[in-house]
Amino acid sequence: MPKRVLPLWMRDSPGPNAKKRVLSETKLNTIAPKVGESPPVLESAKSLPDVSVPSAANTPRRRLRSNFKIEDDGPPKAEPFVKINIDDVPFIDYRGKIRYFTELHDVAFACDQLVQWVEKQPDGVVPLAFDLEWPFSFQTGPGRVALMQLCAETDVCYLFQVSCLKKLPAALLQLLNHPRVCLHGVNVKNDFRKLARDFPEANAERMIEQCVDLGQWYNRIHGTTGIWSMERLVLQVCQLRISKNKKVRMSKWHVLPLSDDQKLYAAIDVYIGQEIYLKLQAKELQLAQEENPPDAAPIPQD
């Protein structure tokens, strides 16, 4: 019967010159493990440190991010948005003057009068509400600018029918580019670009530099974000509703004469824009005074 060789795990670590050791069957049976017993552990394995995984009870508990609480710096800030029931909100009731001009010399004369009025105002910026109307067709797209609306005072609105003009009068350009005039509106920059495309003599970039977008101004004052439409901004700031009748809004603004509904629709757009500007200006001044209150007046002594 051939001799059996000792398994590797039962051998001593041999040196480089060690000879192969062969055990007899009798000695092998005394060393080999019996059935059901675990093999003997080598001496080198006994000296290894215990690397068993600690139990879950001994594992330190990690703090989840959801358990972390930030200390409040103060009372919660009031929500800047006012929740309003739209059915209870009245529509804008404009009863001011509407001055409507269709001829070139009439438009130029009215703009010259406005320039003189601006220069007579006290030092500072003079706000001027600005808006445009043009026809739109689902077959051909937007048409040429037909109507320009301006409002310097809340009791009078100017409507200029520019669809019948080949060029904008110089007095109108002087008014739009006046260094003291601040043109404002909702998404008003797109109106400037549209005007410059249809009338190349208008400088869109110059008007954009000195304009104010009412929606962005509202966001800066109240610390909010979002894109505002005129309808939503009127509801939020003035607690009023503006009529956006599709029949009037999509009407033929280039066809003369304009109806009374068209004139009122166009005038309300700039009138309420001027009202929003004045309200935001007052709100900004109020916040500035709260942050930097004036010194208390001295107490008079007897």
Side-chain angles (χ1 to χ4, degrees), residues 52-264:
S52 58
V53 179
S55 62
N58 299 330
T59 305
R61 185 179 180 183
R62 292 187 178 183
R63 176 180 292 176
L64 298 179
R65 184 172 296 180
S66 59
N67 295 336
F68 184 73
K69 296 182 179 180
I70 302 176
E71 297 181 359
D72 296 334
D73 296 335
K77 296 182 179 180
E79 180 67 27
F81 294 99
V82 180
K83 295 182 179 180
I84 303 172
N85 186 3
I86 190 65
D87 296 330
D88 299 334
V89 179
F91 283 97
I92 299 171
D93 184 18
Y94 176 69
R95 299 185 180 183
K97 298 178 181 179
I98 300 177
R99 296 181 178 176
Y100 177 56
F101 303 96
T102 58
E103 300 294 334
L104 176 63
H105 60 276
D106 293 334
V107 173
F109 180 78
C111 292
D112 186 65
Q113 294 293 321
L114 283 173
V115 170
Q116 295 180 20
W117 177 84
V118 168
E119 294 176 349
K120 291 179 181 179
Q121 299 304 306
D123 294 339
V125 175
V126 179
L128 186 64
F130 178 91
D131 195 21
L132 297 176
E133 301 292 345
W134 58 83
F136 180 83
S137 173
F138 290 101
Q139 287 76 27
T140 60
R144 191 167 179 259
V145 172
L147 188 70
M148 180 185 298
Q149 306 105 278
L150 299 175
C151 180
E153 298 176 288
T154 55
D155 59 345
V156 58
C157 296
Y158 294 85
L159 308 182
F160 300 143
Q161 190 75 48
V162 297
S163 58
C164 53
L165 304 180
K166 295 182 179 180
K167 291 183 61 177
L168 298 179
L172 177 56
L173 296 176
Q174 181 184 2
L175 176 63
L176 298 179
N177 297 324
H178 198 283
R180 291 188 56 194
V181 170
C182 175
L183 300 173
H184 62 82
V186 177
N187 300 323
V188 69
K189 296 179 182 179
N190 293 330
D191 287 348
F192 295 147
R193 297 186 180 100
K194 170 66 175 174
L195 181 65
R197 286 195 298 268
D198 294 342
F199 295 92
E201 60 272 15
N203 190 340
E205 297 302 324
R206 184 172 180 180
M207 290 185 288
I208 289 175
E209 290 177 359
Q210 58 187 33
C211 79
V212 171
D213 189 294
L214 297 178
Q216 296 177 4
W217 193 16
Y218 179 91
N219 288 336
R220 288 196 301 269
I221 293 175
H222 295 85
T224 57
T225 58
I227 300 176
W228 291 89
S229 64
M230 175 62 81
E231 187 175 5
R232 291 179 57 238
L233 195 60
V234 169
L235 182 64
Q236 184 65 30
V237 177
C238 303
Q239 286 78 53
L240 292 172
R241 273 195 289 176
I242 184 171
S243 176
K244 288 296 181 180
N245 189 345
K246 187 176 181 180
K247 183 178 180 181
V248 179
R249 181 167 55 91
M250 303 291 292
S251 61
K252 299 179 180 180
W253 293 98
H254 61 293
V255 176
L256 301 182
L258 296 182
S259 65
D260 292 340
D261 291 339
Q262 288 176 307
K263 294 177 184 178
L264 182 61

